[in-house]
Amino acid sequence: MSRFALLVAFVLPFVLPSLHGQEPGKPLLAWVLQDYIEAAKRNSPLLSDYHNQEEIEQAELQRLKAFYQRSRLEVTGEYLFVPVVTRDGGRTSFAWNAQDATDYYGYDLGESSGHLHAGLTWRQPLLGFSSYKVAREQSAVGMEGLRNRIHLEERYLERAVTEQYLLCLLDLTRMAFTDSVGLLLERQSELLHLLVGNGLMKQSDLRLLSVEQEANREQRLAFLQSYHSHLTDLNLLCGIRDTLDVELAPVRLELRMAEKGMASLFMEKYRLDSLNEELALRSFNLQYKPRLDLFVDGGLRTGGFESWYRHFGWSAGLSFSWTVFDGRQKRWKERQAGLRQESIRAYPEENAVGAMFV
């Protein structure tokens, strides 16, 4: 074995310059890390849901603007008949819509009598600006929270895709190493065959080298299987259906620290949650403010159907409402909001380490 070691030491300087990792097959496509990250963002159902929620939030803001500030026109109608059994005049008869009777069985006609109402009602809120202002601020905070969640999810995807990409590169590096070792062992095998043929080396040395070559091939096969598994997981993570082998370009990663004075995306979530809780309480308290509406209605109102065409008209007025007492619901709502604020403030203190990175 000492002669074998001397032979390896002699041949190694001439073999090393030609060592390189063999490609696992000519790739059909060449992908870089950014390609996978962009595919993951494009195919992420969660990011798609967040973007849809942005559109939903904008549509909800427009709905609230119409609810608090725009007028409302309604078509109304009501047809009521009150049947009774009357004994007026000494005769018992059924009146399907009696307007008056003396001796009868049925609803008290003084309390409920038949009528026909049909018309239009126009209503305009007069004190809805403050309510819409709070709703607009709450919507703005909600939109900012959605954008923050989008940025966080994009960072999470970048990290997950990068980790999986590095696992694939590690498998490729291991395969390249086994290819280099296999090339070296092949060169050694050729030399050993010549030396064994000339009686300078033992046949057992050649068999040991064959065993080493077989072990190296099995190790390469294991790395290849690991590469296919990690590449499949990477494609699933990025929403890529293609199962072909691709060439993965090497990557250089740099750790980005949060700049001084720059808010962390992680910590920004808690600030927005606290602000949203405050605005939710303000929105709840709006129901305790006075409400004043202007209304105008017009149409048909009559209790006698035989001359209904003579009873068209209109009316206008103001409706006012103001909640004075609600069983202390407001007090308990404020208590709930205070407890939620305490919980929100506690989370950043426990997870302050996460704020070191953007």
Side-chain angles (χ1 to χ4, degrees), residues 143-195:
M143 293 286 291
E144 192 174 354
L146 280 173
R147 286 190 289 268
N148 185 70
R149 286 197 291 271
I150 289 173
H151 293 327
L152 281 175
E153 180 62 22
E154 288 177 347
R155 295 297 175 87
Y156 290 151
L157 280 177
E158 289 177 6
R159 186 188 68 180
V161 171
T162 301
E163 291 175 353
Q164 200 64 34
Y165 190 91
L166 291 177
L167 289 176
C168 294
L169 287 182
L170 178 60
D171 293 332
L172 290 177
T173 302
R174 289 173 174 175
M175 291 169 58
F177 176 75
T178 55
D179 289 339
S180 300
V181 173
L183 182 60
L184 177 59
L185 293 176
E186 185 65 27
R187 297 289 181 86
Q188 290 178 354
S189 178
E190 293 175 0
L191 291 175
L192 276 179
H193 275 92
L194 293 176
L195 294 175

Side-chain angles (χ1 to χ4, degrees), residues 257-304:
M257 302 293 292
E259 298 180 4
K260 186 176 181 180
M262 181 178 179
S264 168
L265 293 177
F266 178 80
M267 301 298 290
E268 182 71 4
K269 172 183 180 299
Y270 299 104
R271 185 187 73 83
L272 294 174
D273 287 345
S274 177
L275 186 57
N276 188 62
E277 187 63 35
E278 178 183 346
L279 290 173
L281 180 61
R282 289 176 56 188
S283 178
F284 176 81
N285 289 336
L286 289 175
Q287 62 181 305
Y288 300 100
K289 290 188 175 182
R291 179 172 179 175
L292 182 64
D293 295 339
L294 170 66
F295 69 89
V296 177
D297 60 35
L300 172 64
R301 292 194 177 189
T302 180

